[in-house]
Amino acid sequence: MEQRTYNQYCATARTLDLVGERWTLLLIRELLTGPKRYGDLLASLRGLGTGLLAARLKHLEREGLTRKVTLPPPARTPAYALTEAGEELGPAVLALARWGLKWAMGERGEDESFHAGWAVLGLRACFDPQAADGLRAVYEFHVDDEVLHARVDDGTVETVHGPAQYPDVRITMTEEAFVGVTSRRFTLSDAIQAGTATTTGDAEALRRLTGLFRLPARAARPTAREAGS
């Protein structure tokens, strides 16, 4: 597959030459949370065919943004991981996510896929370090069959796929409830009252949870008429 280029001696254009093709940044998004097998990537990126996925992975590997690895035991299977250069795209991807939460997100479309695992990056994008001042707690989230956790340590956060060893708070909810809370159609308290979510663990850590991850206030993009006025 021929690589397209803007043919501009500009850092932004050169970066877009590398990651601006369709699906490429979403592959980066998937790998920012850790190495993934080919099948994992295909399952998370519904609509991306096997041929195009293979081409995008070859491109990223050729450009030094990803590398092939072998997962540790017990898996011991081939996978893809980001290089140092690929990892340094993380802040840019999180900045795009924050922008999207404010300017691009609306109601979920009927044909739009969703994976709770995407919240691993979403939690990082929404984290408020000031709200976590002095707090050390581990939050474990169970969303249907997916499990992830966030480790908060006095103004910093680490979010990871999989269960925590010693969670201070465990939150269990349906995918529908998770989407509803994150899209601000209702609150976690509403979901608990409706029976679609449950919580256990340290009451003080749970009380501080809603302040730790703050969704930016949504804003409407101007219409063509408004922009031209």
Side-chain angles (χ1 to χ4, degrees):
M1 185 177 297
E2 183 180 353
Q3 181 178 338
R4 293 183 288 187
T5 176
Y6 288 101
N7 283 320
Q8 293 183 8
Y9 188 61
C10 160
T12 302
R14 286 282 184 93
T15 302
L16 290 175
D17 283 346
L18 297 178
V19 299
E21 292 281 4
R22 189 166 183 254
W23 295 106
T24 305
L25 273 179
L26 293 185
L27 275 170
I28 298 292
R29 178 198 68 186
E30 294 299 313
L31 295 175
L32 280 169
T33 60
K36 300 289 188 303
R37 296 170 296 185
Y38 186 91
D40 297 330
L41 294 170
L42 201 60
S44 294
L45 299 171
R46 193 185 74 177
L48 174 59
T50 56
L52 187 54
L53 173 58
R56 291 289 183 264
L57 287 170
K58 286 180 181 178
H59 164 74
L60 290 171
E61 187 176 4
R62 183 174 63 248
E63 297 296 344
L65 298 177
T66 66
R67 58 191 176 91
K68 292 177 181 175
V69 298
T70 299
L71 295 178
R76 292 194 180 92
T77 55
Y80 296 87
L82 293 176
T83 63
E84 179 183 1
E87 291 282 357
E88 288 195 8
L89 286 166
V93 174
L94 291 181
L96 284 171
R98 284 188 289 268
W99 185 92
L101 287 168
K102 180 177 180 179
W103 293 103
M105 292 295 283
E107 292 298 318
R108 180 183 178 184
E110 291 184 2
D111 60 345
E112 287 186 316
S113 61
F114 173 80
H115 292 279
W118 294 338
V120 171
L121 284 185
L123 290 171
R124 296 181 202 172
C126 298
F127 181 65
D128 183 349
Q130 292 183 338
D133 185 37
L135 175 65
R136 289 178 174 82
V138 178
Y139 298 87
E140 186 176 85
F141 301 87
H142 292 247
V143 183
D144 285 349
D145 295 331
E146 295 208 53
V147 183
L148 56 134
H149 69 273
R151 183 179 302 276
V152 178
D153 187 1
D154 192 19
T156 64
V157 68
E158 176 189 15
T159 57
V160 184
H161 284 290
Q165 189 170 10
Y166 301 109
D168 298 288
V169 174
R170 180 177 286 112
I171 300 166
T172 302
M173 58 202 316
T174 64
E175 181 181 294
E176 182 181 356
F178 186 83
V179 171
V181 171
T182 56
S183 64
R184 288 175 282 210
R185 285 192 286 112
F186 47 80
T187 66
L188 177 59
S189 296
D190 294 332
I192 293 171
Q193 291 181 357
T196 56
T198 60
T199 62
T200 59
D202 184 87
E204 176 60 17
L206 180 61
R207 184 189 67 80
R208 296 186 63 174
L209 174 62
T210 55
L212 296 176
F213 304 100
R214 296 183 181 274
L215 292 167
R218 284 185 183 169
R221 302 190 304 277
T223 63
R225 178 177 297 180
E226 291 169 340
S229 62

